[in-house]
Amino acid sequence: SRLVMRETLIERGGGAGVHIEGAEAVIEDTVIRDMVRATDGVKLGIPPQGYGIVVAQELTRGLSVEASLTLRSSVIARTWGAGLRLFGAKAVVEHTTIDATASFASGPCYGHGVRVIGDSVHPAQLTMTSSTIANSEGAGLHVLGGNAIVNRSLIRATTASACGGVWGDGVAVLSQPQASAQGAQPASVRLQDSFVRDSVRAGAALFHGALTL
């Protein structure tokens, strides 16, 4: 499956502005903004959502279908939980702004501008160029068990999360707890010709993995 979206406005959606699972997507010259907190599934154990874009592998009957995103010249603003969330997926982001990602007062205690999640079975890869992540609560770029390359980009004004006042890192790198046992590569981030500023805790925080500046 393939999605091509250009010159589009998506606003006040619940759950996610765009959800891509097991498919390829190209999004250009698009604005995704003012997502609504979706809490309908909390009683069923589903955390609150309000993401800008979600890209995830499709897991069906033990099989996985890859997902990928190319995002260019777009804006993601005023979302909840994550502006861009990758799970076991690949994304190329160019000339894009991700702004004002809020955290929930309870539940997922983060408002990450970009959240990259991967493991040995579902690797995740982000390549970001000439883009801005601003005004995130918790972390601007959060990489958990995946890897990211950031070129000529700005990550700024990261504050602590709303629940407990924790985090506040421009870039945070963590490996999955079971990564070594599974033989997976640790999480990694490479920052090239980029600027991280005005983070309430750390400009870059490395907990387990690799960080190249």
Side-chain angles (χ1 to χ4, degrees):
S1 300
R2 190 169 191 262
L3 166 70
V4 178
M5 180 185 297
R6 295 188 175 97
E7 299 181 353
T8 301
L9 170 63
I10 297 175
E11 59 183 359
R12 293 189 292 275
V18 178
H19 187 107
I20 301 150
E21 188 167 337
E24 175 188 357
V26 177
I27 300 175
E28 298 177 334
D29 303 305
T30 288
V31 175
I32 299 170
R33 67 189 184 193
D34 299 319
M35 291 299 102
V36 177
R37 289 178 293 177
T39 58
D40 296 347
V42 170
K43 292 182 180 179
L44 301 176
I46 301 172
Q49 299 177 26
Y51 307 125
I53 299 176
V54 175
V55 189
Q57 282 198 355
E58 181 180 12
L59 304 177
T60 305
R61 299 175 183 174
L63 301 176
S64 62
V65 181
E66 292 186 353
S68 66
L69 168 68
T70 300
L71 178 65
R72 296 191 183 101
S73 305
S74 296
V75 174
I76 301 172
R78 297 182 295 279
T79 60
W80 296 87
L84 171 60
R85 185 178 190 270
L86 306 180
F87 177 75
K90 297 179 180 180
V92 174
V93 178
E94 299 173 345
H95 304 285
T96 290
T97 295
I98 299 171
D99 186 31
T101 308
S103 56
F104 295 96
S106 61
C109 197
Y110 55 78
H112 300 156
V114 178
R115 182 168 169 83
V116 181
I117 307 169
D119 56 32
S120 60
V121 180
H122 314 108
Q125 167 77 53
L126 168 71
T127 302
M128 175 177 286
T129 304
S130 302
S131 296
T132 297
I133 301 172
N135 301 303
S136 308
E137 294 183 3
L141 170 61
H142 186 275
V143 178
L144 175 62
N147 59 82
I149 299 173
V150 179
N151 300 295
R152 302 189 301 279
S153 294
L154 170 64
I155 300 172
R156 66 173 182 85
T158 305
T159 61
S161 64
C163 51
V166 297
W167 298 85
D169 306 320
V171 177
V173 187
L174 307 88
S175 293
Q176 294 280 11
Q178 70 276 21
S180 298
Q182 293 179 344
Q185 293 295 317
S188 67
V189 172
R190 179 185 295 272
L191 296 175
Q192 301 175 163
D193 300 320
S194 295
F195 191 15
V196 181
R197 56 171 291 181
D198 301 329
S199 305
V200 76
R201 189 172 77 163
L206 175 63
F207 296 95
H208 180 66
L211 176 63
T212 304
L213 303 175

